[in-house]
Amino acid sequence: MTKKAPYKGVLIAGAGPVGLVAAADLVQRGIPVTVLEASTALSEESRASTFHPPTLDMLDSLDSAEDLIATGLVAPKFQFRSKRHGVIAEFDFGAIADRTQHPYRVQSEQFKLTRILLAKLVDRPGFGIEFGKRVDG
Ligand SMILES: Cc1cc2nc3c(=O)[nH]c(=O)nc-3n(C[C@H](O)[C@H](O)[C@H](O)COP(=O)(O)OP(=O)(O)OC[C@H]3O[C@@H](n4cnc5c(N)ncnc54)[C@H](O)[C@@H]3O)c2cc1C
């Protein structure tokens, strides 16, 4: 997918989660953005599996948290375990429910987030993306 836009505003190298989150934030603020991605498509690597509460709050401000949560598993608690001792510690995100809108972790693949972000960006005025374009400097 290529959506050409005049190179004005901000140029972003790379359509990974960092580049597309930056693009979503800038476009939301009315600043035009062109993303140049070296590969011919978004990465299909899974990589990240865990999204933490502050990340979900941040994605919410970009209208993307709900769609991501729908793709994953919601974990209101997590545990440290060892083979010998079993559960060593358990953390309950309910303890920070007054500090976050998302008192849980979400287990989902990183490639799902970049697709959600791009789908929301692609028709926004001021947004452009070109694949197969490596930034050299
Ligand atoms: C095995 C593994 C497990 C991980 N697990 C987690 C986890 O559970 N939770 C978590 O939060 N994080 C996790 N991470 C880290 C997370 O994947 C990275 O922090 C994240 O990918 C960084 O995003 P990014 O957009 O900066 O870079 P990337 O995801 O690497 O994306 C960079 C993009 O830029 C493109 N690019 C590179 N150079 C250029 C150039 N010169 N010009 C144009 N385009 C370019 C690349 O093709 C790529 O599409 C994990 C990472 C790995 C490897």
Side-chain angles (χ1 to χ4, degrees), residues 13-19 36-39 43 47-50 110 133-135:
V18 172
L36 301 174
E37 167 55 49
S39 299
S43 171
R47 292 205 193 174
S49 60
T50 303
Q110 183 168 295
K133 292 278 177 75
R134 176 172 293 279
V135 175

Coordinates of all heavy atoms in Angstrom, one line a residue, residues 13-19 36-39 43 47-50 110 133-135, ligand 1:
A13 N 11.1 7.8 9.4 CA 11.7 6.6 8.9 C 11.2 5.3 9.6 O 11.5 5.2 10.8 CB 13.2 6.7 9.0
G14 N 10.5 4.5 8.9 CA 10.1 3.2 9.5 C 8.6 3.2 9.9 O 8.2 4.0 10.7
A15 N 7.9 2.2 9.4 CA 6.5 2.0 9.8 C 6.4 0.9 10.8 O 5.5 0.0 10.7 CB 5.7 1.7 8.6
G16 N 7.3 0.9 11.8 CA 7.1 0.0 13.0 C 6.1 0.7 14.0 O 5.5 1.7 13.7
P17 N 6.0 0.1 15.1 CA 5.0 0.7 16.1 C 5.4 2.1 16.5 O 4.5 2.9 16.7 CB 5.1 -0.3 17.3 CG 6.2 -1.2 17.1 CD 6.5 -1.2 15.6
V18 N 6.7 2.3 16.6 CA 7.1 3.7 17.1 C 6.8 4.7 16.0 O 6.3 5.8 16.2 CB 8.6 3.7 17.4 CG1 9.1 5.1 17.7 CG2 8.9 2.8 18.6
G19 N 7.2 4.4 14.7 CA 6.9 5.3 13.6 C 5.4 5.6 13.4 O 5.0 6.7 13.2
L36 N 8.3 6.8 5.5 CA 9.0 6.1 4.5 C 9.5 4.7 5.1 O 10.2 4.7 6.1 CB 10.2 6.9 4.0 CG 9.9 8.3 3.5 CD1 11.2 9.1 3.2 CD2 9.1 8.1 2.2
E37 N 9.0 3.6 4.5 CA 9.3 2.3 5.1 C 10.2 1.5 4.1 O 9.8 1.4 2.9 CB 8.0 1.6 5.3 CG 8.1 0.1 5.6 CD 9.0 -0.3 6.7 OE1 8.9 0.3 7.8 OE2 9.9 -1.2 6.5
A38 N 11.3 1.0 4.6 CA 12.2 0.3 3.7 C 11.7 -0.9 3.1 O 11.9 -1.3 2.0 CB 13.5 0.0 4.5
S39 N 10.9 -1.7 3.9 CA 10.3 -2.9 3.4 C 9.1 -2.6 2.5 O 8.6 -1.5 2.4 CB 9.8 -3.8 4.6 OG 10.9 -4.1 5.4
S43 N 5.8 -5.1 8.7 CA 6.5 -6.4 9.2 C 5.4 -7.4 9.7 O 4.4 -7.0 10.2 CB 7.4 -6.0 10.4 OG 7.8 -7.2 11.0
R47 N 7.1 -10.4 17.5 CA 7.8 -9.6 18.5 C 7.0 -9.4 19.8 O 6.8 -10.3 20.5 CB 8.3 -8.3 17.9 CG 9.3 -8.5 16.8 CD 10.1 -7.3 16.8 NE 11.0 -7.2 15.6 CZ 11.7 -6.2 15.2 NH1 11.6 -5.1 16.0 NH2 12.4 -6.2 14.2
A48 N 6.6 -8.1 20.0 CA 6.0 -7.9 21.3 C 4.8 -8.7 21.5 O 4.0 -9.0 20.6 CB 5.6 -6.4 21.3
S49 N 4.6 -9.2 22.7 CA 3.4 -9.9 23.1 C 2.7 -9.2 24.2 O 1.5 -9.5 24.4 CB 3.8 -11.3 23.6 OG 4.6 -11.2 24.7
T50 N 3.3 -8.3 24.9 CA 2.7 -7.7 26.0 C 2.5 -6.2 25.9 O 3.5 -5.5 25.6 CB 3.6 -8.0 27.3 OG1 3.7 -9.4 27.4 CG2 2.9 -7.4 28.5
Q110 N 2.7 -7.7 17.9 CA 3.0 -6.4 17.5 C 2.5 -6.1 16.1 O 2.1 -5.0 15.8 CB 4.5 -6.2 17.6 CG 5.0 -4.8 17.2 CD 6.5 -4.7 17.6 OE1 6.9 -4.8 18.8 NE2 7.3 -4.6 16.6
K133 N 11.0 2.3 0.5 CA 11.8 3.6 0.5 C 12.6 3.6 1.8 O 12.1 3.8 2.9 CB 10.8 4.8 0.5 CG 10.1 5.0 -0.8 CD 10.9 5.7 -1.8 CE 10.2 5.8 -3.2 NZ 9.2 6.8 -3.1
R134 N 13.9 3.3 1.6 CA 14.8 3.4 2.7 C 15.4 4.8 2.9 O 15.9 5.4 2.0 CB 16.0 2.3 2.5 CG 17.1 2.4 3.6 CD 18.0 1.2 3.4 NE 17.4 -0.1 3.6 CZ 17.2 -0.6 4.8 NH1 17.6 0.0 5.9 NH2 16.6 -1.8 4.9
V135 N 15.4 5.3 4.1 CA 16.0 6.6 4.5 C 17.5 6.4 4.6 O 17.9 5.5 5.4 CB 15.3 7.2 5.7 CG1 16.0 8.4 6.1 CG2 13.8 7.4 5.5
Ligands
LIG1 C1 11.8 -11.3 20.2 C2 11.3 -9.9 20.7 C3 10.3 -9.8 21.7 C4 9.8 -8.6 22.1 N1 8.8 -8.6 23.0 C5 8.3 -7.4 23.4 C6 7.2 -7.3 24.3 O1 6.6 -8.3 24.8 N2 6.7 -6.1 24.7 C7 7.2 -4.9 24.2 O2 6.7 -3.8 24.5 N3 8.3 -5.0 23.3 C8 8.8 -6.1 22.9 N4 9.9 -6.2 22.0 C9 10.4 -4.9 21.6 C10 9.6 -4.3 20.5 O3 9.4 -5.3 19.4 C11 10.4 -3.1 19.9 O4 10.6 -2.2 21.0 C12 9.6 -2.4 18.8 O5 9.6 -3.3 17.7 C13 10.4 -1.1 18.4 O6 9.6 -0.5 17.4 P1 10.2 0.4 16.3 O7 9.0 0.9 15.5 O8 11.2 1.4 16.9 O9 11.1 -0.6 15.5 P2 10.8 -1.8 14.5 O10 9.6 -2.6 15.0 O11 12.1 -2.5 14.3 O12 10.3 -1.1 13.2 C14 11.3 -0.4 12.4 C15 10.7 -0.2 11.0 O13 11.5 0.7 10.3 C16 11.9 0.1 9.1 N5 13.2 0.7 8.8 C17 14.4 0.4 9.4 N6 15.4 1.2 8.9 C18 14.8 2.0 7.9 C19 15.3 3.0 7.1 N7 16.6 3.4 7.1 N8 14.4 3.7 6.3 C20 13.1 3.3 6.2 N9 12.6 2.3 7.0 C21 13.4 1.7 7.9 C22 11.9 -1.4 9.3 O14 11.7 -2.1 8.1 C23 10.7 -1.6 10.3 O15 9.5 -1.7 9.6 C24 10.4 -7.4 21.6 C25 11.3 -7.5 20.6 C26 11.8 -8.7 20.1 C27 12.9 -8.7 19.0

